[in-house]
Amino acid sequence: MDCTKFIEEQVRNLRQRVGDGLAINALSGGVDSSVVTALGHRALGRQLKTIFVENGLMREGEAGRVIETFAALGIPVERVDARKEFLGALAGVTDPERKRCAITETFYKAVFGRVMRQSGANFLLHGTILTDIEETVAGIKRQHNILSQLGIDPERVYGYQVLEPLETLRKDDVRELAGALGLPETIAQRIPFPGPALATRIVGEVTEERLATVRQATAIVEEELASTGAFQYLAVLLNDRATGIRDNRREYGQIIVVRCIESTDARTALVTEIEWPALHRLAERITRIPGVNRCLYDLTPKPPATIEYV
Ligand code: XMP
């Protein structure tokens, strides 16, 4: 793709749409929202306020890491603590679509509604990409950041307009754009991480305790599998238990699934052929997490499976 032309067009478009108004965008640290942040700041400067929503569902140390990275690029990011709101909305919810709905509502209505009201902003800049739209429209999965494509008019329902400058791009284009916008390789080549974060990797109820388990497993998987160069790798906590033995005693423990896939745009995926020694090391480290006594490797391509579990 012609990145220079795309950037020029989007900068012009964003300036025209926002005029002398104020826009807000949420940065999660993933490549899509990072590109929107860089593009938005290039177009709007101080007319764009970037926030990092602490939803309690993020990876270990994520908020600090993301805020520091952008501070080094001269882009200030404000932290908004919404942990109680998200965990409250997810309490007792086990159905995957209801979980996604709870996150969407909390994100757009409760958190953004408040931030927009307090700041007087009238635009929300969003990192929706083409794959998110296609899969939502096809009814495969409700991506949490899709609104108008589902018939939700954000202006009427939430009181602000949503701008989606990446809506025509796929993941590989977004990575190219990240480089063209001067974002560091650590962001441009970062593996995808979904907006609803670790909630997409907990089958069953999302609780603080279960989040802590999947967070530890995620850190191990990301450390161990970075050298594979795979498109995406992740850990999932199942809603089942299995009998095991620890310290010569029976234990009814948690089960973690490791998923590692090859893809170019996340629409289809093949399973990475990981060497046995690496799998053994993963199993050994993951079963050291308190309460976890099984580690499985997912052998399913997409389709028929999706990449995330929720
Ligand atoms: P699935 O699980 O649908 O995932 O095969 C495809 C790709 O999209 C990511 N993903 C999301 N990204 N919001 C996002 O920004 C979401 O709600 C969402 N759900 C899945 C997933 O990590 C994979 O890369």
Side-chain angles (χ1 to χ4, degrees), residues 10 37 43 50 56-57 65 88 95-96 162 189 191 258 267 272 289:
Q10 290 306 324
T37 303
T50 298
L57 311 171
R65 197 162 42 233
D95 176 76
V162 176
Q189 294 311 326
I191 59 167
V258 176
R267 280 189 302 172
T272 307
I289 299 171

Side-chain angles (χ1 to χ4, degrees), residues 93-223:
V93 182
T94 52
D95 176 76
E97 288 296 292
R98 281 196 53 219
K99 248 189 228 175
R100 284 177 169 266
C101 273
I103 292 173
T104 306
E105 281 286 296
T106 309
F107 196 74
Y108 289 98
K109 202 168 179 176
V111 179
F112 271 109
R114 184 175 67 237
V115 172
M116 302 299 263
R117 269 193 312 279
Q118 284 170 352
S119 64
N122 29 17
F123 295 92
L124 174 64
L125 241 64
H126 222 295
T128 319
I129 66 171
L130 187 56
T131 319
D132 300 341
I133 298 173
E134 283 174 347
E135 295 206 330
T136 302
V137 172
I140 294 169
K141 187 180 289 183
R142 180 197 170 105
Q143 301 275 342
H144 93 292
N145 46 356
I146 301 294
L147 298 173
S148 56
Q149 295 83 354
L150 282 174
I152 301 170
D153 174 0
E155 186 146 38
R156 194 177 50 78
V157 180
Y158 303 124
Y160 51 80
Q161 287 184 51
V162 176
L163 305 178
E164 298 172 320
L166 312 183
E167 67 186 346
T168 57
L169 305 185
R170 295 199 187 281
K171 204 60 140 195
D172 37 349
D173 296 324
V174 182
R175 289 198 203 287
E176 210 183 317
L177 201 56
L181 284 162
L183 291 172
E185 275 289 287
T186 47
I187 292 180
Q189 294 311 326
R190 201 160 191 211
I191 59 167
F193 188 71
L198 297 176
T200 61
R201 297 172 182 180
I202 294 179
V203 182
E205 191 181 2
V206 176
T207 63
E208 285 202 54
E209 196 187 357
R210 305 192 79 215
L211 276 162
T213 303
V214 83
R215 193 173 280 127
Q216 287 177 66
T218 302
I220 295 169
V221 168
E222 291 194 352
E223 220 176 280

